[in-house]
Amino acid sequence: MQALQDYNTSFEHSDSWRSSADAMVLGDIFDKGISVAVWTRPEVPLVTQYYVDVFKSLGMGIRGVFSLTSLKEEIAKLLPDGRNNAGKQAAIDDIYLLSDMLTTLFDCDSVGVRLVPLSSAMCPSFHVDNIPVRLVNTYLGEGTEWLPKESVVTRPMIGLNDANTQGLTKNRLGQHYRESSVRQMNAFDVGLLKGKSWQGHEEFAAVHRSCKVIPGTHRVLLTLDLCSF
């Protein structure tokens, strides 16, 4: 039972993530104890409708490394045309905005872009990424889920058995957590997630997973990674 007491105390008093409607919150990812920083922003209906219209035309999506100076032009060639030019242009502008923010924050000159249309969860199990940091944003459907560091028991403890782990779930990383502690981004929320390679501090990596995709619905996910020519 001591393990659960420690778990509850830690959950109530620790803070491993930040969320705000102010885009400046993304800079909090540089704080030592922060694993996830989320900029909560409103949906852009024009962009949403664009991805609804072109979902089938996206095919396998977009994957590539782009210089910020040519990103808009290259993405315009790769994205399908929608019902109106305004929707496509708004989608291009938003990918550029997020790429510009990421490259400015981390002082790099290019970005790895992955735009993926999904009809099922891409990474349904909790995991950590083997990279320094990743930006995630969902344009269509529900957003990425993550586990706050303070909500997990990360190593076996004496007394942590079937009787006193009732109500806890164990993920493939060996962590015990309550389903009620899982956090989730909304569509258009922008998240920065630390990875295992963050300045050599693997313990700060964000534990996250793709959300479930309800049958008959769709999801469009954008991820941006740091790159340099």
Side-chain angles (χ1 to χ4, degrees), residues 201-212:
H201 297 291
E202 182 176 339
E203 67 272 21
F204 298 136
V207 178
H208 62 287
R209 69 183 178 190
S210 297
C211 66
K212 295 180 180 178

Side-chain angles (χ1 to χ4, degrees), residues 57-58 61-63 66 73-80 88:
S57 301
L58 286 172
I62 295 174
R63 289 175 173 82
F66 304 91
E73 180 181 350
E74 295 298 324
I75 295 297
K77 295 176 183 177
L78 296 170
L79 281 179
K88 179 177 179 178

Side-chain angles (χ1 to χ4, degrees), residues 99-208:
S99 298
D100 187 31
M101 293 174 70
L102 184 68
T103 55
T104 298
L105 268 175
F106 292 93
D107 192 24
C108 59
D109 56 11
S110 57
V111 62
V113 176
R114 180 176 58 172
L115 183 74
V116 191
L118 298 167
S119 297
S120 60
M122 184 168 61
C123 300
S125 299
F126 278 115
H127 64 282
V128 295
D129 293 327
N130 191 27
I131 55 173
V133 67
R134 172 166 288 160
L135 183 149
V136 298
N137 173 81
T138 301
Y139 285 119
L140 194 62
E142 297 186 16
T144 299
E145 298 177 340
W146 84 93
L147 277 176
K149 289 291 184 181
E150 59 271 16
S151 69
V152 299
V153 175
T154 56
R155 58 180 180 271
M157 300 180 184
I158 296 176
L160 192 62
N161 52 38
D162 291 341
N164 59 30
T165 58
Q166 185 174 4
L168 294 182
T169 301
K170 185 178 180 180
N171 63 27
R172 69 177 188 179
L173 300 174
Q175 301 170 330
H176 292 81
Y177 66 95
R178 298 187 190 280
E179 287 291 343
S180 60
S181 68
V182 177
R183 301 282 178 169
Q184 184 172 25
M185 299 176 202
N186 295 315
F188 283 84
D189 285 354
V190 178
L192 284 180
L193 310 178
K194 282 179 179 172
K196 292 172 64 176
S197 302
W198 178 269
Q199 300 177 354
H201 297 291
E202 182 176 339
E203 67 272 21
F204 298 136
V207 178
H208 62 287

Side-chain angles (χ1 to χ4, degrees), residues 13-31:
H13 298 287
S14 297
D15 183 14
S16 65
W17 60 278
R18 303 269 173 81
S19 178
S20 173
D22 187 339
M24 296 298 290
V25 72
L26 296 178
D28 289 357
I29 198 68
F30 292 103
D31 291 359

Side-chain angles (χ1 to χ4, degrees), residues 43-55 82-84 87-88 91 139-140 188:
E43 177 186 358
V44 180
L46 191 61
V47 174
T48 300
Q49 189 59 53
Y50 167 75
Y51 284 116
V52 169
D53 293 342
V54 305
F55 184 84
R83 294 183 179 179
N84 61 72
K88 179 177 179 178
Y139 285 119
L140 194 62
F188 283 84

